Amino acid sequence: MYITPEQLLRIAPGVGPAAGMYVAALNSAMDRFLINTPKRAAHFLAQVVHESGQLARFREDLNYSATRLRGVWPKRFLTIQIAQLYARKPEAIANYVYANRMGNGDERSGDGWRYRGAGWIQITGRKNHQEVAGALHVLADVGDWMSTVNGAALSAAWFWWKSGCNRWADVGNVDAISDLINIGHRTERVGDSVGYDARQNLTKHCLAVLS
């Protein structure tokens, strides 16, 4: 199963002239990790395009307002006053919300920012970054590598494969895939911050484009 630049542009028009380069990386990664049917490809592309803002976001920046912080991490930001201390301070936010989780050290360690979401599927945390490096034999800084086109595509396809998403794509279970993608490496999100409705709609669109 190979996608064309024209198909990618219908799914993620924002990629513009980069479509050819992105398609080459995606096709190679999808082939390697058995995303090899139109249905699997449609589900995979929908999740990746949603997570990355049409393949534009390679690294999580967490530039959130106080209100948004309360909405996404209500257990971390119990009051608006606490949220205001961190609002619009991406590095401080990452070090706080990702402290002592996913293999990270405490807030002062800087691990939250160092191992913030990277790649088109926004893989987060020291443990997950190290797992990517080991599985894909990355010798360079793995966060930087996942922020390249090839690294973003390969890490996303690997995470999809190792999380068992292909079997859910085969039966069309978008919500199960969404939970694996979003909660599998970034916990404590609440409500529809996962974006179930948007992922459902994008998946339907991708299925139509690739059918």
Side-chain angles (χ1 to χ4, degrees):
M1 172 67 205
Y2 292 98
I3 61 171
T4 66
E6 292 75 20
Q7 287 172 323
L8 183 60
L9 284 168
R10 289 176 63 192
I11 293 167
V15 303
M21 177 174 59
Y22 287 8
V23 159
L26 285 165
N27 281 334
S28 177
M30 290 192 296
D31 183 62
R32 179 171 174 178
F33 290 103
L34 304 179
I35 307 168
N36 52 11
T37 68
K39 199 168 187 179
R40 290 180 178 184
H43 281 266
F44 173 73
L45 289 172
Q47 293 290 335
V48 169
V49 167
H50 178 85
E51 283 286 321
S52 64
Q54 295 200 24
L55 307 183
R57 188 181 307 118
F58 288 82
R59 205 73 194 258
E60 188 178 19
D61 69 11
L62 296 135
N63 188 22
Y64 292 155
S65 68
T67 300
R68 180 64 175 156
L69 288 172
R70 289 274 294 134
V72 176
W73 289 288
K75 294 180 181 179
R76 296 275 173 170
F77 300 97
L78 296 174
T79 68
I80 194 67
Q81 289 77 19
I82 295 174
Q84 286 170 341
L85 295 174
Y86 290 87
R88 302 300 180 192
K89 300 174 183 176
E91 186 168 351
I93 291 169
N95 286 331
Y96 178 57
V97 301
Y98 294 142
N100 302 308
R101 299 169 51 209
M102 301 174 287
N104 289 346
D106 61 19
E107 186 173 356
R108 291 179 296 177
S109 72
D111 282 353
W113 180 251
R114 188 175 300 112
Y115 300 109
R116 67 194 185 280
W120 282 337
I121 221 157
Q122 296 290 284
I123 295 173
T124 308
R126 178 199 287 265
K127 179 181 177 182
N128 291 319
H129 279 220
Q130 289 178 340
E131 190 175 359
V132 170
L136 298 177
H137 309 292
V138 179
L139 300 179
D141 181 282
V142 70
D144 290 344
W145 177 79
M146 286 192 286
S147 300
T148 67
V149 172
N150 285 333
L154 272 172
S155 60
W158 167 82
F159 189 88
W160 173 276
W161 171 80
K162 79 104 176 180
S163 300
C165 293
N166 275 331
R167 69 186 181 98
W168 294 113
D170 290 342
V171 298
N173 194 329
V174 177
D175 287 354
I177 295 170
S178 300
D179 286 340
L180 288 169
I181 295 298
N182 203 269
I183 299 172
H185 55 84
R186 283 189 314 217
T187 56
E188 293 190 5
R189 302 298 179 100
V190 300
D192 198 34
S193 62
V194 172
Y196 292 112
D197 289 344
R199 292 171 199 259
Q200 287 276 4
N201 291 334
L202 189 51
T203 300
K204 290 177 184 176
H205 177 58
C206 290
L207 286 166
V209 170
L210 300 183
S211 63

